[in-house]
Amino acid sequence: MSVLVYTESEQNKLKKAAFEVASYAKAVADQLGTTVTAVAINSGDTSELGNYGVDKVLKVSNSDLENFNAKGYADIIKQAAEAENAKVVILSSSADSKYLAPLLAVGLNAGYASNVVEAPSSISPFTVKRSAFTNKAFEIAEIKSDIKVIGVSNNSFGLVENSGSATAEDFSPSISELGVTVKSIDKATDKVTIADAEIVVSAGRGLKGPENWGMIEELADVLGAATACSKPVSDLGWRPHSEHVGQTGKPVASNLYIAIGISGAIQHLAGINASKVKVVINTDPEAPFFKAADYGVVGDAFEVVPQLIEKLKAFKAQ
Amino acid sequence: MKILVCISHVPDTTSKINFTDGDTKFDTNGVQFVINPNDEFGLTRAMWFKEKQGANVTVVNVGGAETEPTLRKALAIGADAAIRINTPATDGFSVAKQLAKVIEDGGYDLVIAGRESIDYNGGMVPGMIAGLTGANFVNNCIGLEIEGTSATATREIDGGKETVATSLPLIVGGQKGLVEESDLKIPNMRGIMMARKKPLTVLDPVDAEAGTRSVSFEKPAPKGDVKLVSPDNLDELVDLLHNEAKVI
Ligand SMILES: Cc1cc2nc3c(=O)[nH]c(=O)nc-3n(C[C@H](O)[C@H](O)[C@H](O)COP(=O)(O)OP(=O)(O)OC[C@H]3O[C@@H](n4cnc5c(N)ncnc54)[C@H](O)[C@@H]3O)c2cc1C
Ligand SMILES: Nc1ncnc2c1ncn2[C@@H]1O[C@H](COP(=O)(O)O)[C@@H](O)[C@H]1O
């Protein structure tokens, strides 16, 4: 009756989010007095999972699933849950995990809580806290079904190290028809994605035009951060849609969010409120973002950002 | 082609979020309700299928009578018919079960729902419908073309996008990109008049067990005041981020 966790990988390497969900699974397993089993698909070396509390890894190698397929992956995790008699299944909040989670929940006839931000406050009844109303509130939800599926919000639980070791076993579930085939993938592999990033550097209409994004990218580079933008910036075509964050764009749950030339409209803030520390750089001291931020600089981005880059370079060189 | 668009009735994006009854209920006082933004993109895409490929478009909501103005708005935008399943939407799993029944009875080829609702943020209803009906499923869909029973869809992935091939019947979790903001239709007078004559069928719910129960709501703790740093003293900002906030 272990807790099952799906640990995601990318190009045969476990993602950082895999260690966070493993840490979360360990916390739940401790509450339930049981062990943690991970299921890893085409993952390469998984021994590091032991450091985050995983006792056993079910390793699946399947060349038909080199590309992510929600139905195929949900099928595998379902069979792993059944094999382990798992009552709780933990996933991350990546686009892929959110895609497969509802299919898995139906397969296991399980209640599913997404965007969960803390370890369960109680296991009987099974109660979790999740963000709702696009980060404007939290919902305390009880999962009523026998089996529970939990999607953990990225960066909400963090990594918790645990000295242990994980045994590995091959696992060969049967895969039914996939129904959806990947034709092409268009992805910048050398860039940090908003979903994975610990730091996000974001800029708005205050930057005046797409030609001014050089300094934003440089700042992001120095910090190892992902770049993002406000909605009008992507609507104007200054930046790709995939960078649009906010209520109608991507959610951001980074440790640090730096907003440059962004006014702080309610719809923008809704999407980034889950970020832990917020910095605003804006010429207008009345900009609403100052009410939502932890640190602020009232100043011209074209002067402040280049200086900040220099200061950060000096700091990193120390 | 028969298309069903799932419409979630949600507070407008500018709404102040408050709770009543000991923080167990969303306070609808003074709140304007709208079509969930992700669903609005899907509805407009469905209108294009109707205009260019002769599709028939039905909209559906699981909810009480208070959601009917939102369904009427969808009819005014151009949907042919509306269905309301008369039961409060309290949990994604039970909503998906209600919708799955309508989909099976209606024989829809394509179901467009939103990637997520902006109130519950479950991100679960479209995937659960797919799980329940066995139809193909593409989430975070930002582009969709259909020829006969074959479909090509583009979906947003972390850090980029992916193009996939699939076939009908198909369930889509849609978002901006299916159409652009500037493509969204604002209902005109004629649309509003016509909507009054279009059928809005109220169906009784089926038995559908919920997976979760909402116990209560909390608002985030109020934030302390912002610490201002002078633009001439950015060393201080670096120091604060390193030593105080511990994020760099
Ligand atoms: C239904 C709906 C959904 C929406 N969803 C989203 C969403 O998901 N995400 C989102 O971002 N928006 C969203 N919006 C739009 C939102 O309301 C705002 O219009 C938008 O966030 C404003 O973007 P901005 O801050 O870049 O631009 P502006 O509001 O134009 O602000 C620019 C800021 O830059 C500052 N500035 C100007 N020059 C400089 C300079 N040299 N240096 C520093 N600062 C400078 C100005 O003082 C100003 O504060 C939505 C709106 C609606 C109606
Ligand atoms: N009560 C409902 N009635 C009809 N469709 C719904 C309802 N709730 C959710 N949906 C659909 O499912 C999508 C995702 O909702 P959710 O799972 O709540 O995030 C929404 O964008 C709608 O398309």
Side-chain angles (χ1 to χ4, degrees):
Chain A
M1 205 218 71
S2 61
V3 170
L4 186 77
V5 56
Y6 166 51
T7 49
E8 262 169 293
S9 52
E10 172 134 357
Q11 292 172 330
N12 302 313
K13 252 187 94 214
L14 289 167
K15 289 172 59 166
K16 196 197 116 213
F19 301 113
E20 183 173 28
V21 286
S23 305
Y24 187 97
K26 171 68 176 160
V28 177
D30 285 347
Q31 282 176 285
L32 293 168
T34 182
T35 56
V36 178
T37 301
V39 52
I41 303 172
N42 297 331
S43 279
D45 183 11
T46 55
S47 54
E48 211 184 331
L49 288 171
N51 303 342
Y52 298 92
V54 173
D55 300 284
K56 177 163 100 179
V57 185
L58 299 176
K59 296 185 73 156
V60 180
S61 307
N62 187 323
S63 55
D64 295 339
L65 293 172
E66 284 301 338
N67 288 319
F68 175 80
N69 178 281
K71 197 169 166 205
Y73 278 45
D75 231 11
I76 290 176
I77 301 166
K78 171 176 185 268
Q79 290 172 63
E82 285 163 353
E84 293 293 303
N85 189 21
K87 296 292 179 208
V88 183
V89 183
I90 315 278
L91 309 166
S92 83
S93 288
S94 70
D96 287 352
S97 281
K98 282 191 150 179
Y99 186 178
L100 74 82
L103 296 172
L104 174 66
V106 171
L108 293 170
N109 194 22
Y112 164 45
S114 57
N115 307 323
V116 170
V117 296
E118 284 174 7
S121 57
S122 141
I123 50 165
S124 177
F126 201 98
T127 312
V128 291
K129 181 170 173 176
R130 57 182 299 277
S131 69
F133 293 95
T134 323
N135 295 315
K136 290 178 201 162
F138 295 103
E139 180 195 24
I140 310 300
E142 176 190 336
I143 311 182
K144 302 197 298 180
S145 47
D146 180 35
I147 302 179
K148 288 114 184 135
V149 176
I150 296 178
V152 181
S153 186
N154 286 353
N155 288 323
S156 65
F157 192 74
L159 302 181
V160 182
E161 294 212 32
N162 220 295
S163 60
S165 64
T167 58
E169 259 173 42
D170 285 332
F171 184 61
S172 312
S174 58
I175 314 283
S176 54
E177 219 192 309
L178 298 177
V180 175
T181 1
V182 174
K183 291 285 164 209
S184 65
I185 297 177
D186 173 4
K187 178 170 174 171
T189 44
D190 54 334
K191 280 185 70 184
V192 192
T193 64
I194 293 170
D196 291 336
E198 287 177 36
I199 304 181
V200 173
V201 174
S202 187
R205 200 148 54 181
L207 273 254
K208 317 277 191 270
E211 66 282 4
N212 297 324
W213 249 262
M215 63 181 187
I216 302 301
E217 288 184 337
E218 192 180 351
L219 178 59
D221 262 358
V222 177
L223 290 166
T227 51
C229 68
S230 67
K231 179 168 170 291
V233 165
S234 75
D235 287 346
L236 288 161
W238 296 359
R239 299 295 291 178
H241 279 315
S242 55
E243 284 196 1
H244 157 207
V245 299
Q247 183 155 16
T248 52
K250 281 209 171 64
V252 182
S254 55
N255 288 331
L256 173 61
Y257 183 79
I258 304 182
I260 302 161
I262 297 178
S263 57
I266 187 166
Q267 298 96 347
H268 185 86
L269 296 177
I272 60 105
N273 266 339
S275 287
K276 297 207 180 76
V277 176
K278 297 174 233 23
V279 174
V280 53
I281 300 170
N282 196 309
T283 41
D284 175 9
E286 302 295 321
F289 215 119
F290 284 99
K291 292 213 168 57
D294 302 280
Y295 302 102
V297 181
V298 179
D300 184 341
F302 295 98
E303 287 161 23
V304 174
V305 175
Q307 282 187 52
L308 184 59
I309 292 170
E310 292 317 311
K311 304 277 185 203
L312 284 166
K313 278 186 179 161
F315 164 76
K316 294 272 174 187
Q318 275 173 29
Chain B
M1 181 164 49
K2 280 185 79 176
I3 303 179
L4 185 71
V5 183
C6 302
I7 302 281
S8 188
H9 160 90
V10 299
D12 168 18
T13 57
T14 56
S15 305
K16 292 263 180 291
I17 305 297
N18 289 305
F19 301 98
T20 58
D21 290 15
D23 285 337
T24 59
K25 286 208 174 64
F26 175 64
D27 183 359
T28 56
N29 207 340
V31 170
Q32 179 92 6
F33 280 83
V34 297
I35 299 176
N36 185 42
N38 288 321
D39 305 348
E40 211 178 340
F41 294 113
L43 178 61
T44 302
R45 184 67 190 88
M47 289 301 102
W48 293 1
F49 281 121
K50 176 177 162 164
E51 286 154 20
K52 296 182 192 135
Q53 289 169 263
N56 181 281
V57 179
T58 302
V59 290
V60 63
N61 172 264
V62 179
E66 72 282 1
T67 73
E68 287 193 3
T70 301
L71 284 174
R72 287 279 174 212
K73 183 176 173 201
L75 291 172
I77 288 171
D80 301 295
I83 297 172
R84 181 171 68 81
I85 303 166
N86 189 23
T87 183
T90 49
D91 150 77
F93 207 164
S94 54
V95 166
K97 287 174 185 168
Q98 301 296 348
L99 293 169
K101 172 78 167 65
V102 168
I103 292 159
E104 274 162 0
D105 290 351
Y108 294 95
D109 306 294
L110 172 67
V111 178
I112 308 181
R115 168 195 72 175
E116 72 172 17
S117 56
I118 62 167
D119 54 353
Y120 192 71
N121 300 124
M124 59 208 275
V125 169
M128 284 183 161
I129 298 173
L132 290 165
T133 60
N136 291 322
F137 173 44
V138 177
N139 204 15
N140 292 31
C141 189
I142 53 171
L144 179 64
E145 296 301 331
I146 291 174
E147 268 319 312
T149 59
S150 307
T152 308
T154 309
R155 80 168 177 110
E156 198 165 273
I157 55 177
D158 289 336
K161 57 189 180 183
E162 176 178 280
T163 303
V164 298
T166 184
S167 59
L168 304 182
L170 174 67
I171 318 280
V172 159
Q175 61 185 63
K176 184 170 111 177
L178 270 181
V179 305
E180 291 309 323
E181 199 99 1
S182 49
D183 300 321
L184 294 178
K185 295 191 172 178
I186 296 160
N188 57 23
M189 209 52 214
R190 187 163 164 270
I192 294 167
M193 297 302 287
M194 279 172 56
R196 291 192 188 149
K197 298 197 199 89
K198 290 179 181 172
L200 192 164
T201 312
V202 179
L203 297 180
D204 286 331
V206 291
D207 274 341
E209 205 184 335
T212 59
R213 181 177 76 88
S214 202
V215 179
S216 62
F217 296 94
E218 279 174 17
K219 298 235 280 181
K223 224 193 53 55
D225 281 346
V226 60
K227 240 182 216 176
L228 288 180
V229 175
S230 149
D232 305 321
N233 192 12
L234 294 172
D235 282 319
E236 188 190 344
L237 181 62
V238 174
D239 182 65
L240 286 167
L241 292 177
H242 179 60
N243 289 314
E244 187 177 87
K246 300 194 169 36
V247 287
I248 61 169

